[in-house]
Amino acid sequence: MNARWRAFPEVADGVWVALLAFAVYRSTLLVDLGFWDTAEYQTVGPVLGIAHPTGFPLYTIVTHMVSWAPIGTVAYRLNLFSAVCAALTVAGVVAIARELGAARAAAVAAGLAFAFHYAFWDNAIRAEAHTLHAAFLVEVIWLALRWRRTREFRYMAATALMTGLALGNHHLMALTVPATFALICLVQPQLLATWRLGALIGLGALGLTSYLFIPLRALQEPALNYGRPSTWEGFRYVFFGEEFRHTMGYLTWYGPFRFLSTLPFVWQQYGEWFTPLGGLLFGALALAGLSRLSRTDAPTAWFTLLILAFPLYMATNYEDADLRRYYFACTVVAIGWAAVAATELGRRIGPRAARAWLLALVILPLGLVPYFYTGIDRSEDWLGRIYAERVMTVVKPRALVVTWWNLATPLWYVRYVEGQRPDVEIVDTQRILDYGWLNPMTAVELNLGVRPVYLMRFPSEMDDLLARFEVRTVEYLLPYSQPLYEVVGIKPLRKRLRYHGPPRLPPIEKRKPRLAV
């Protein structure tokens, strides 16, 4: 074991940084149930369901096993797994910086800065497929850099296998393939003319076999069966993310123009994630580090530049609720460049000043912890639990709850993972289609009079529903003071014509507090 540590000193350095990061993540971890994708991830793994596109089969399989751990609630276990993946990612960042030639202190500073910048820390404390993706990402980059230095085929073979496995978790890993191919062409192009190219392709394909889980599991009709991908059409819909095709601006002709126009916004984001001063220092050092690498190791410079460029182009041309997750690859590479520049600067200013400079680099990222701690801390956040259990308490037996994605996912968790109210059916826009009901209006019409029907929809989607149906307000629910309506009948035509919008909510201070913690 000692010999292995001596062979990979960058791994040993990363372990200590990862342990510190994990301790901070653990102290700010989301204590239980979340909303949005977090609650879906907390559900699909334990029930072996089918997640929203692109399916995330490897994440589902792994988190199913994690859900067996005898600690806390299932939701908490999956949040903790995300923190573990994030800590492993931090160790990988240190290893990458060392592989690029950074000094030990500069690599440690890079790991700390990545661990505690807002975009990553905020994802590390809740169930999230992107933290597992980040762990795979740093492993693939480190293996490729290791191959570049040693030329040992085993490292490139491991790169191919890990890339295929990572693609089973998230399609973002496909953006590293052009960079790896370019590195082979620049360093050892003869590798592409041997049997080893076929071996690399085969290893990558082997990793992709996790996608067989989606149609095979869909045939068994799991509790969550997004898009019903047991047929080729359904599988294609999930695998290629066709639901989000309209948001993929990177596939359009105007993608390059949008990319250039949004670069200032990207710079502004990094100023928010690292603090304005930290963002300036990070950006300046990253550019200097890239310049240094381009002069001393051009293949590595091109490899890392392509690793950064493809995700950056995609992220600036994709419409999503939380795009911070798509910049992790960019940040890993840029922070490695910054560590290279910091090391070079330390060499030029003399031994005594260099020690002070590198010590300051280690201390500065630690300042991000108190700066962001209060805003990120979710160790007392029970909002998802309170909301979900309150809904399950107030709805009638055999109820149908027609809602939207964010408010549906916590209800799925308490319904399918914990077994609360198995008589209640929760449908969002996608599940309405899976049932063949076309839209919320049709869903309500087909079920009204057969079972109690409740509505929680976007305000913009409620007008048509409230114009057609008689409703009564059951509760104002957290987190958005979202009204929960019970549908009590269909309005006659004369009432529909006189409809003047949804009921006005009383002022916040006059609402009766019906939710007890």
Side-chain angles (χ1 to χ4, degrees):
M1 178 63 72
N2 291 336
R4 292 181 182 178
W5 283 117
R6 287 195 296 271
F8 300 103
E10 65 274 17
V11 176
D13 295 336
V15 166
W16 301 111
V17 182
L19 289 174
L20 173 61
F22 178 77
V24 176
Y25 297 154
R26 168 65 183 80
S27 69
T28 56
L29 198 70
L30 175 61
V31 68
D32 193 49
L33 185 56
F35 287 92
W36 292 98
D37 293 6
T38 295
E40 186 206 21
Y41 291 137
Q42 291 169 332
T43 306
V44 291
V47 303
L48 282 179
I50 307 300
H52 72 275
T54 55
F56 315 102
L58 185 67
Y59 182 84
T60 301
I61 295 167
V62 172
T63 53
H64 179 71
M65 293 184 285
V66 171
S67 68
W68 301 341
I71 176 173
T73 64
V74 172
Y76 178 82
R77 296 166 198 168
L78 269 59
N79 295 338
L80 192 62
F81 174 68
S82 193
V84 170
C85 291
L88 292 174
T89 304
V90 171
V93 171
V94 176
I96 289 169
R98 292 285 280 158
E99 200 65 41
L100 290 172
R104 188 175 188 179
V108 168
L112 292 172
F114 185 84
F116 301 127
H117 84 280
Y118 187 91
F120 188 69
W121 186 359
D122 188 47
N123 279 266
I125 61 171
R126 50 193 169 88
E128 178 58 69
H130 283 267
T131 51
L132 180 58
H133 164 70
F136 274 120
L137 174 73
V138 296
E139 179 70 12
V140 166
I141 295 173
W142 181 81
L143 286 168
L145 291 174
R146 193 80 179 181
W147 173 83
R148 189 265 178 277
R149 183 159 63 84
T150 65
R151 308 290 180 87
E152 295 181 25
F153 180 71
R154 58 176 176 152
Y155 289 116
M156 185 51 67
T159 301
L161 179 60
M162 295 296 290
T163 301
L165 285 171
L167 279 167
N169 175 67
H170 204 291
H171 284 190
L172 275 177
M173 187 55 66
L175 301 179
T176 67
V177 175
T180 305
F181 181 77
L183 183 65
I184 295 174
C185 292
L186 291 170
V187 175
Q188 198 176 6
Q190 60 270 27
L191 187 66
L192 302 176
T194 66
W195 62 268
R196 292 183 174 183
L197 175 62
L200 294 178
I201 295 173
L203 287 169
L206 179 64
L208 275 171
T209 55
S210 61
Y211 274 99
L212 294 174
F213 166 82
I214 291 179
L216 294 177
R217 180 58 177 159
L219 286 170
Q220 301 174 8
E221 293 290 339
L224 293 180
N225 194 12
Y226 201 105
R228 298 188 177 275
S230 54
T231 64
W232 166 244
E233 291 76 13
F235 178 78
R236 185 186 64 197
Y237 176 81
V238 172
F239 181 83
F240 290 106
E242 292 184 359
E243 177 182 351
F244 307 112
R245 184 64 59 87
H246 66 285
T247 67
M248 300 176 183
Y250 51 87
L251 298 177
T252 63
W253 63 268
Y254 58 80
F257 302 99
R258 182 170 179 176
F259 167 70
L260 294 174
S261 64
T262 54
L263 284 180
F265 173 69
V266 174
W267 182 266
Q268 178 186 347
Q269 281 187 306
Y270 275 97
E272 295 171 356
W273 298 339
F274 286 92
T275 74
L277 178 60
L280 287 173
L281 179 62
F282 167 65
L285 287 174
L287 292 175
L290 174 60
S291 176
R292 167 73 178 171
L293 272 179
S294 65
R295 296 193 302 272
T296 60
D297 188 351
T300 297
W302 277 110
F303 169 71
T304 52
L305 183 61
L306 291 174
I307 289 285
L308 177 143
F310 282 96
L312 182 61
Y313 177 76
M314 177 187 175
T316 54
N317 280 283
Y318 187 53
E319 298 175 18
D320 188 82
D322 185 5
L323 281 174
R324 298 170 300 174
R325 305 167 295 181
Y326 293 84
Y327 289 96
F328 290 163
C330 308
T331 309
V332 167
V333 169
I335 219 161
W337 293 342
V340 170
T343 301
E344 179 63 18
L345 181 58
R347 288 172 182 156
R348 294 188 178 190
I349 60 178
R352 183 173 298 178
R355 283 194 292 270
W357 161 245
L358 293 175
L359 179 62
L361 281 179
V362 173
I363 293 174
L364 281 173
L366 294 175
L368 297 174
V369 177
Y371 189 86
F372 289 128
Y373 193 97
T374 302
I376 286 180
D377 182 19
R378 300 184 68 180
S379 59
E380 298 295 331
D381 184 355
W382 295 95
L383 201 56
R385 170 67 62 179
I386 293 170
Y387 154 78
E389 293 196 347
R390 185 59 185 170
V391 171
M392 292 304 193
T393 299
V394 299
V395 298
K396 296 176 180 177
R398 298 182 59 251
L400 173 71
V401 181
V402 181
T403 182
W404 56 287
W405 173 258
N406 182 29
L407 297 180
T409 54
L411 301 179
W412 290 338
Y413 175 85
V414 297
R415 164 70 172 80
Y416 296 114
V417 177
E418 298 185 344
Q420 297 188 36
R421 296 298 303 271
D423 59 308
V424 175
E425 190 68 37
I426 305 105
V427 295
D428 71 322
T429 303
Q430 178 58 44
R431 296 198 82 193
I432 285 172
L433 296 176
D434 292 342
Y435 280 103
W437 291 338
L438 299 180
N439 53 49
M441 186 79 72
T442 306
V444 175
E445 288 176 341
L446 291 177
N447 287 275
L448 189 61
V450 178
R451 60 194 304 182
V453 179
Y454 295 83
L455 290 172
M456 285 187 294
R457 302 288 298 173
F458 281 120
S460 59
E461 298 176 330
M462 286 300 299
D463 274 351
D464 290 343
L465 292 166
L466 296 180
R468 179 164 178 75
F469 300 109
E470 295 277 5
V471 301
R472 71 178 185 90
T473 304
V474 178
E475 189 103 30
Y476 295 108
L477 294 162
L478 297 174
Y480 309 113
S481 291
Q482 176 79 52
L484 172 65
Y485 298 111
E486 181 184 4
V487 181
V488 296
I490 298 178
K491 288 183 178 180
L493 181 60
R494 56 186 177 81
K495 285 193 175 182
R496 295 183 216 169
L497 295 177
R498 292 204 307 268
Y499 177 70
H500 297 295
R504 294 181 61 187
L505 299 181
I508 297 271
E509 61 275 6
K510 293 185 179 180
R511 297 180 195 170
K512 295 181 179 179
R514 300 187 182 183
L515 237 101
V517 178

